[in-house]
Each structure stands twice: as structure tokens, then as C-alpha cells.
Amino acid sequence: MLVEYNIAMPCVHYLSSGITGRLIPMPWFSAAMIVVILTASLELGVVQSSTVVGYYSHSCPAAEKIVSQVVAEQFATRPLVAAGILRLYFHDCFVEGCDGSILLDASPDGTPPEKRSLANNNTATGFELVDAAKRRIEAVCPGTVSCADILALAARDSVAISGGPRWEEPTGRYDGRVSLASNADGSIPGPSFNLTRLIHSFANKTLDSRDLVTLSGGHTIGRSHCANFQIRLYNSSGTGLPDPALNPAYATALRRICPNTSPARRATLSLDRGSEIPFDNSYFVQLLAGNGLLRSDEELLLDGSMRGLISAFAANQRLFFREFAKAMVKLGGIGVKDSIQGEIRLHCRRVNRRNSGSSPRVPTPPPPIMRSRAPPPPY
């Protein structure tokens, strides 16, 4: 078993037990002194960058329940909000890491944030759900729970309430202070990516081909705009013809809903044919039948090992659920900020003002949790 700590020497600058901010030349340090300093850093929780299950169990025990309640309330009237939150979380993690940067509005100088990138503008949804959860949590635990963690928990609960797996989500993230549309456009995998670009995009985030297939299964819920796949219907690879990989009957049905006109590009269709709300393994079944909506979906079938995994998921929903839970925990570890790199935002749409007296408290983590690196299976 492992106790997970992330120790960084910058902790020394922030020790308050009689240690000044001056850097002492290394020759003055003895091995014993270094051990004392590092131990004090851990005890004070000065720099926290790793995530653990139950991070808020002492500082804000109601946090996870509040997020679950808000997700349930909004899902009851807008079930597609679950897909919006899942997509929002994925897009957040793929840019600056899982730091809630996608939630930020434009900075005072007007620089477009991530939510105004080509990948997100007018299509990213779920912001209001995160705002609602943040307001309720701030009322009981001010300055304690990060927006990044709220988004991660909301993604987990959105999958579960849609019928999918529920897993133990590690928390303890800090909120990022940088959000740039230009960074998002170069980082988020697109619906027209070929297999090589998809694999490269995921590898850049320490995700492998198995994660690629598994996380693509999130397309079992939600809808997509015609603009994301219209070229497959009318001019695949510049041929002036539909994509031959598409089921002909499915292609005909798609062309009726998405005619080759500009206004039609705003129309939407289910990513998983005939099944846009329940979270299940239908996406993989449809993919094998030639009913994959996006080119990025269809490309997964070109690799033999990926196709084998798709077939396994299509035949075994429990296997897919188990692997999806594991992949989501892995996704949630990308680019986690510590208390120096990030902050606990008071409002999810804007960074905290510096030197305004409104800086929130640094959350106090619970006692170290003994656990293995792999989360327990959801079943």
C-alpha cells in the first residue's frame, strides 16, 4: 500500500513556525534539518498538490452531497445537462489540466477565455450547474471547495444519474488562474481528427489508446451539431460522396436532418443513435454497426486492438463501466494545481482579487489515507 505525498521544496518559503522567507545556503542544511522542514511542510499542509478520496471529509463534509443534489435537481428537468457537464470536464482537463479554467469568463483586458474557443463557443454547457453548486457550498464552507473539484464531482454524478457507474472521485484540486481560447483550440481533440491525431492528443495528456476508446464511450449520452459531421454526409475525403464507412441507411437518415446548407449546421442529433440520455454501452454496439456519428468515433475501428476493445465493451456493459470509472479517475489527475499554482476561487467565473482581503483559506486535508494507486472497482 502507498501513502501518496507530493513534497516540493518551495514549501520552505511558506513555513510559519519560526522560519523566515530567506533562502539559507544549502551547506547550512544538515540531513536532519531537511527532514524537519519537509515534515513541518506536510503537517502544516502548506503546499498541497495531490488528490485523495475524501479530501473534504473534515473541512466540508457536505460538499459531495450538495453537488449530487444539484445534479439531481437539474437532471430532473434537463437530462441532457449530464452530457454537457461530462463534456465540460473533459475539455477542462485537456487544456490547463483539471483546474476549472474552462469556467472562467473573459479577463478584464478582454482576452477570450477557453469557453470562447472554437471547440467550446456556443456549444459548451453546464456552467449554471457548477455555479449553483458553488453558491450552496460557499454558504456552508466558504473559501474551501475548489470549482475544479465541483466540476469533477458533477461529472461523476452526471454519469451515475444517467445510469452509468459511480466511483470514488479523488479531490483536493486547486483552481487555475489562466484561461485562454488559443490554448484550448490547440489542445482539445476535434470531431474530425484521424486516428493518429487522436492517439497523439491523448498521449500528450498521459492517456493511452485504451483510455481513448474507453473515454470515447462518454458519447453514449448527449447530442452533436450537424457541423461536426456534415462533411461525412456530402464530401467525405473530397470525393463528393458520403463516407463509405457509414451505414447507408443511417447516412440517408442523417442527410434528412442535416441538409447540405449553412442553417442546418446548427441542428443537433444524438451521438449514440436513438439513445442520448441513458449511459450504457450502446455507443459501442452502434459503432460496430456502422452508426458512429463522428469521424473521430469511426477512426477507432481502424486499429485492431482498439476494435477488439470496442467489441468487448459492446458485449459486456459491466466491463465498460468498470474501465470507464478507472479512466475517469486517471483523467482527473491531469495537470492538478497546488496551492502555489492555483487558488480556491470564491466565484467560479472569475479569479480572486489579489490583496483585497478576500483570499480564501487553504483547505485543510484529512489525515493521510492509505490506499493503492488504483481506485476500487465500482462494482
Side-chain angles (χ1 to χ4, degrees):
M1 305 298 285
L2 301 172
V3 180
E4 294 188 4
Y5 288 122
N6 193 325
I7 303 171
M9 286 308 294
C11 298
V12 176
H13 296 273
Y14 295 87
L15 293 176
S16 60
S17 55
I19 298 177
T20 69
R22 286 188 301 112
L23 284 175
I24 303 173
M26 283 303 294
W28 289 30
F29 280 96
S30 68
M33 291 173 66
I34 294 175
V35 170
V36 168
I37 290 173
L38 294 180
T39 302
S41 299
L42 289 172
E43 290 177 350
L44 291 173
V46 177
V47 173
Q48 169 70 19
S49 62
S50 57
T51 56
V52 295
V53 173
Y55 182 84
Y56 298 109
S57 59
H58 296 277
S59 59
C60 191
E64 294 201 22
K65 183 178 180 180
I66 290 172
V67 174
S68 294
Q69 289 173 339
V70 173
V71 170
E73 291 167 5
Q74 299 211 9
F75 182 84
T77 57
R78 298 186 300 129
L80 283 174
V81 73
I85 286 290
L86 184 58
R87 181 175 184 264
L88 200 64
Y89 182 53
F90 182 86
H91 283 202
D92 181 49
C93 293
F94 256 70
V95 184
E96 296 289 339
C98 305
D99 67 348
S101 54
I102 195 171
L103 305 172
L104 289 170
D105 288 338
S107 57
D109 65 5
T111 302
E114 290 175 34
K115 63 173 61 173
R116 294 293 171 252
S117 66
L118 293 176
N120 295 318
N121 195 34
N122 298 321
T123 60
T125 60
F127 298 103
E128 295 79 7
L129 187 154
V130 177
D131 289 340
K134 179 64 171 176
R135 283 194 298 271
R136 291 193 196 179
I137 290 174
E138 284 296 306
V140 295
C141 309
T144 302
V145 181
S146 69
C147 300
D149 277 342
I150 291 173
L151 180 55
L153 293 169
R156 186 267 310 272
D157 293 338
S158 292
V159 170
I161 202 170
S162 300
R166 191 178 194 278
W167 57 92
E168 294 294 326
E169 178 63 42
T171 46
R173 301 169 184 83
Y174 281 75
D175 296 319
R177 300 187 183 99
V178 176
S179 183
L180 298 172
S182 55
N183 289 347
D185 286 328
S187 302
I188 298 173
S192 62
F193 273 24
N194 61 27
L195 185 59
T196 300
R197 293 184 71 187
L198 286 169
I199 292 174
H200 180 71
S201 178
F202 273 63
N204 281 342
K205 303 301 176 182
T206 70
L207 300 171
D208 57 28
S209 58
R210 188 178 186 88
D211 299 318
L212 168 56
V213 173
T214 305
L215 292 172
S216 293
H219 287 171
T220 189
I221 56 176
R223 301 175 69 84
S224 179
H225 288 81
C226 290
N228 290 327
F229 55 86
Q230 210 164 24
I231 194 168
R232 294 190 73 200
L233 305 179
Y234 299 99
N235 190 26
S236 177
S237 301
T239 62
L241 299 171
D243 187 339
L246 272 174
N247 178 341
Y250 185 41
T252 298
L254 292 176
R255 284 196 296 270
R256 283 198 296 268
I257 300 171
C258 298
N260 196 18
T261 60
S262 293
R265 293 170 63 85
R266 293 190 294 271
T268 62
L269 284 90
S270 300
L271 281 162
D272 183 357
R273 188 179 187 186
S275 176
E276 64 188 39
I277 294 174
F279 193 101
D280 51 28
N281 66 337
S282 173
Y283 164 83
F284 299 104
V285 174
Q286 294 295 335
L287 198 54
L288 291 171
N291 296 330
L293 186 64
L294 307 178
R295 181 189 178 189
S296 58
D297 295 327
E298 195 71 39
E299 288 285 311
L300 303 180
L301 294 169
L302 299 180
D303 178 87
S305 62
M306 291 186 185
R307 189 182 187 100
L309 186 58
I310 290 168
S311 297
F313 287 161
N316 189 336
Q317 181 167 281
R318 288 174 66 87
L319 173 63
F320 166 52
F321 281 10
R322 184 167 63 248
E323 292 300 309
F324 189 82
K326 289 166 58 178
M328 286 294 287
V329 171
K330 187 175 178 180
L331 172 71
I334 296 173
V336 173
K337 303 290 189 294
D338 62 29
S339 56
I340 295 177
Q341 299 164 324
E343 63 186 11
I344 307 300
R345 284 187 221 137
L346 299 178
H347 191 293
C348 290
R349 294 180 183 248
R350 57 179 177 266
V351 299
N352 297 333
R353 290 182 298 166
R354 300 295 184 89
N355 303 319
S356 64
S358 62
S359 296
R361 299 186 305 273
V362 175
T364 302
I369 295 176
M370 299 293 292
R371 64 186 180 90
S372 61
R373 291 190 182 277
Y379 294 100

